[in-house]
Amino acid sequence: MKDEPGRPEGADVVVTAAEIARLAGVTRAAVSNWRRRHEDFPVAVAGGASSPLFSLAEVRGWLEGRQKGREASAEVRLWERLRAEFGDDMLGGLTAVAGILMDGLPEADGSEDAGTLRALVAELGAEVSPGTLLAELTARLVESPGRAGSDGVTSARLIQAIRYAAGPSEGTVLDPACGIGSLLFAFADRATGLYGQDVVPAHTRFARLRARVAGLTAVTSVTVRAGDSLREDAYPELKADLVVCEPPVGVADWGREELLLDARWEFGVPSRAESELAWLQHCYAHTAPGGRVVMVMPTSVAYRKAGRRIRAEIVRRGLLTEVIALPAGMAASHSLPVHLWVLRRPTDVPQGVDAVRMTDLGGLDADASFDGGAGRSAEVPRIELLDDTVDLTPAAHVAARLTDYAGEYAELRAAIARQLALLDGLLPPMEAGTGGGLADGASVSLSELARAGLIELSEDTALSTSGQLDSDYLNGFLRSAANNRRSTSASGTFRLDARGARVPQVGIAEQRRYGAAFRTLAAFEEGVRELTELSGRAAALARDGLTGGALRPPPDADGGGPADPR
């Protein structure tokens, strides 16, 4: 077994927790339990807390010692061989497997490693078809942790979302950033031709082999070429019925200076920070009349100031038909949420859409249905999107479109009226005092009462544990002016000092009389806070409704001052 490139000479091959589970024939949960319960379980030698890597030799030794292992399957042994021979370049390993499968499992070329690899592929090839074998290995590569974000992989769940957004489209399909072909080949069942391009030659080499091994070339035309789609378009004349793309994210050097006069910038020249909008226009330029574009977009593209003019243009022309905010965790290279933008090129008779469908799935689980359901989609007229920001974030529009402004405003007014009536009844009447009173009599500190076991004292609250003391009375005097002065430092900093506070010494009947008054005052203060919150919500809702057209002023509102509340 060879060492991985980049590791010190003699260093062992490392494996993930998922690979340990496959090796031992158990679940990942079982591996997690072993790590917690057994002090002698091998410690991680690399990786982070979320994706630790372990020495394969140490893991094997531990499994053999515990007799928890089993004879590794041919698939596990093949994966280990690929890890040993290709190290971090597992895509190169899968390309080698695909080459062997296409060559019909020829004899070994003389090297021990090549012979072992061919033998393992032959062993597995006797159990499953070549297409199934390569598909399983590719899925394992996609699920492997620690892959770089630019490895040309689109997650299976994101592919499902794109297929849903694309609808029942047929004809030619183009993916100008196809990577290893996962997204492009997902449309093989409905395509008359598949066209892909990627800047990484290793990706396109594997994608071509993958299409052949899977038998796609026998049912449809598949063309995958290497090259930078923005700088070196491999299909300048192609007009596809569907263009799908998960473009590279945040690439500043996408060729803006070289391509300033390019005819593809139909909606405006993207800034250096808006490479995704360059990809969007590239895709639209390759769309046939009546065809569609489905693009994976970072959420920030929907509202960044630099792309406002381009967003406004595609909305103004009626080309943008839908924006879907997907749940977090659907992208393969990061855990951030993404959007799907769906554009449609008009037919020979220009006819853009009058509204854009906004669907917000952002708060749902990654396995949730894509149809959104009640309360998660809204048709937003184009004119409402063409404001100063041209914000295409679904959440910014779905909630507003589905808000019952009139109903909610009426409910808030009624709640405010009830709260006002409640407050009027809560504020207790008070009699004039003689000045001084309890404050001039004997007092006791709360710390003394706590030491005597008569109260339980926290940082800012006293709780009576005796029939001799009333809790509301204690807490009312705890916040007296005299105790507040004790809690204020010379610099003016206030920090309530419950232990240093003092309360007057009076009988329990008098304590309860004062306690009842303090209790109603506390309820009054809480009611005022709730009234303030209700008032703020009502004012904000009314303002949004009036400016957005969902509410209208009353017929007799003449601006001459407050109307008679009766």
Side-chain angles (χ1 to χ4, degrees):
M1 189 174 291
K2 293 181 180 178
D3 298 329
E4 297 181 34
R7 292 179 61 82
E9 185 177 355
D12 186 28
V13 173
V14 292
V15 290
T16 65
E19 290 169 336
I20 294 174
R22 294 192 188 100
L23 180 64
V26 297
T27 64
R28 290 192 64 176
V31 176
S32 298
N33 288 334
W34 292 346
R35 293 183 64 194
R36 285 197 307 269
R37 296 174 183 174
H38 300 287
E39 295 182 356
D40 61 339
F41 190 86
V43 298
V45 297
S50 60
S51 55
L53 299 174
F54 304 87
S55 163
L56 176 60
E58 292 180 6
V59 169
R60 279 192 176 281
W62 188 86
L63 289 173
E64 291 171 1
R66 294 273 173 177
Q67 296 183 343
K68 286 185 168 64
R70 62 173 186 171
E71 181 64 25
S73 66
E75 181 190 351
V76 171
R77 287 184 282 119
L78 173 58
W79 194 260
E80 291 176 8
R81 170 57 60 183
L82 294 175
R83 290 289 297 268
E85 290 191 28
F86 294 91
D88 292 335
D89 182 23
M90 289 301 288
L91 180 60
L94 266 60
T95 302
V97 171
I100 292 173
L101 291 171
M102 286 308 304
D103 289 340
L105 303 176
E107 295 298 324
D109 62 5
S111 71
E112 179 182 351
D113 289 336
T116 302
L117 185 59
R118 285 188 170 87
L120 287 169
V121 172
E123 183 178 347
L124 279 169
E127 302 173 2
V128 296
S129 68
T132 300
L133 171 57
L134 192 61
E136 291 177 351
L137 291 173
T138 304
R140 188 165 183 169
L141 173 68
V142 172
E143 295 169 1
S144 298
R147 290 179 292 97
S150 59
D151 58 6
V153 169
T154 302
S155 73
R157 186 61 176 157
L158 186 53
I159 290 173
Q160 291 174 351
I162 295 170
R163 278 179 59 93
Y164 173 84
S169 56
E170 295 182 353
T172 54
V173 180
L174 167 68
D175 184 350
C178 68
I180 62 174
S182 300
L183 176 57
L184 178 64
F185 298 156
F187 291 89
D189 61 334
R190 60 177 76 171
T192 57
L194 298 172
Y195 297 87
Q197 183 172 356
D198 196 86
V199 70
V200 181
H203 292 169
T204 57
R205 184 163 53 251
F206 177 66
R208 287 191 292 267
L209 283 168
R210 186 180 176 188
R212 292 172 59 199
V213 172
L216 300 183
T217 54
V219 296
T220 188
S221 170
V222 179
T223 306
V224 180
R225 296 173 180 169
D228 184 333
S229 290
L230 296 183
R231 290 183 171 95
E232 303 171 6
D233 189 356
Y235 311 102
E237 306 301 324
L238 175 65
K239 301 295 181 182
D241 299 292
L242 174 65
V243 184
V244 294
C245 186
E246 182 183 10
V249 176
V251 179
D253 184 21
W254 56 267
R256 183 180 190 275
E257 289 72 17
E258 309 161 40
L259 303 170
L260 280 175
L261 301 179
D262 198 289
R264 287 172 293 182
W265 314 146
E266 186 176 343
F267 314 130
V269 181
S271 69
R272 284 176 56 85
E274 296 286 349
S275 62
E276 296 86 4
L277 291 178
W279 283 97
L280 178 72
Q281 295 189 78
H282 172 82
C283 291
Y284 185 78
H286 278 291
T287 308
R292 276 174 288 183
V293 175
V294 182
M295 286 278 298
V296 180
M297 288 290 206
T299 57
S300 59
V301 181
Y303 59 81
R304 283 195 300 227
K305 184 177 181 180
R308 182 183 63 83
R309 188 163 64 91
I310 294 176
R311 294 195 302 271
E313 191 64 15
I314 64 174
V315 170
R316 186 185 66 79
R317 296 192 190 185
L319 308 178
L320 183 68
T321 62
E322 185 171 11
V323 179
I324 304 174
L326 296 176
M330 294 189 65
S333 59
H334 58 78
S335 59
L336 300 175
V338 294
H339 291 171
L340 294 183
W341 289 21
V342 183
L343 278 68
R344 186 178 186 89
R345 180 181 284 276
T347 55
D348 293 338
V349 179
Q351 185 178 1
V353 296
D354 294 325
V356 178
R357 182 173 180 79
M358 295 285 180
T359 301
D360 181 18
L361 309 178
L364 301 182
D365 185 82
D367 295 325
S369 170
F370 297 124
D371 61 11
R376 294 199 172 272
S377 293
E379 299 289 336
V380 183
R382 281 188 292 158
I383 190 64
E384 294 187 15
L385 297 173
L386 294 172
D387 56 13
D388 291 339
T389 59
V390 196
D391 189 346
L392 302 182
T393 305
H397 302 282
V398 172
R401 297 294 299 179
L402 299 176
T403 297
D404 179 7
Y405 281 90
E408 288 193 21
Y409 184 64
E411 290 179 6
L412 284 169
R413 290 187 77 242
I416 289 172
R418 290 193 299 269
Q419 197 67 18
L420 286 169
L422 177 65
L423 289 174
D424 182 58
L426 275 178
L427 194 61
M430 299 287 182
E431 299 177 357
T434 59
L438 294 185
D440 292 339
S443 64
V444 62
S445 72
L446 294 184
S447 60
E448 292 179 79
L449 296 176
R451 285 195 296 271
L454 299 176
I455 65 172
E456 290 181 357
L457 197 60
S458 66
E459 184 176 342
D460 57 359
T461 306
L463 176 65
S464 171
T465 59
S466 165
Q468 305 174 46
L469 296 167
D470 182 85
S471 294
D472 292 312
Y473 170 81
L474 295 172
N475 287 296
F477 274 97
L478 172 58
R479 290 160 177 81
S480 68
N483 285 322
N484 283 343
R485 284 194 295 270
R486 291 190 183 96
S487 299
T488 304
S489 67
S491 63
T493 302
F494 175 81
R495 182 182 179 188
L496 186 61
D497 180 14
R499 291 194 169 274
R502 302 187 69 83
V503 298
Q505 289 182 282
V506 297
I508 185 62
E510 189 73 351
Q511 288 183 42
R512 287 171 180 162
R513 194 163 70 93
Y514 273 84
F518 286 133
R519 194 161 51 247
T520 55
L521 283 174
F524 178 79
E525 289 175 326
E526 179 60 32
V528 169
R529 283 192 289 269
E530 186 172 344
L531 177 62
T532 301
E533 180 184 345
L534 287 170
S535 301
R537 287 168 53 193
L541 185 72
R543 186 177 295 106
D544 289 346
L546 288 169
T547 57
L551 294 176
R552 297 175 61 189
D556 58 349
D558 57 3
D564 187 340
R566 296 172 297 178

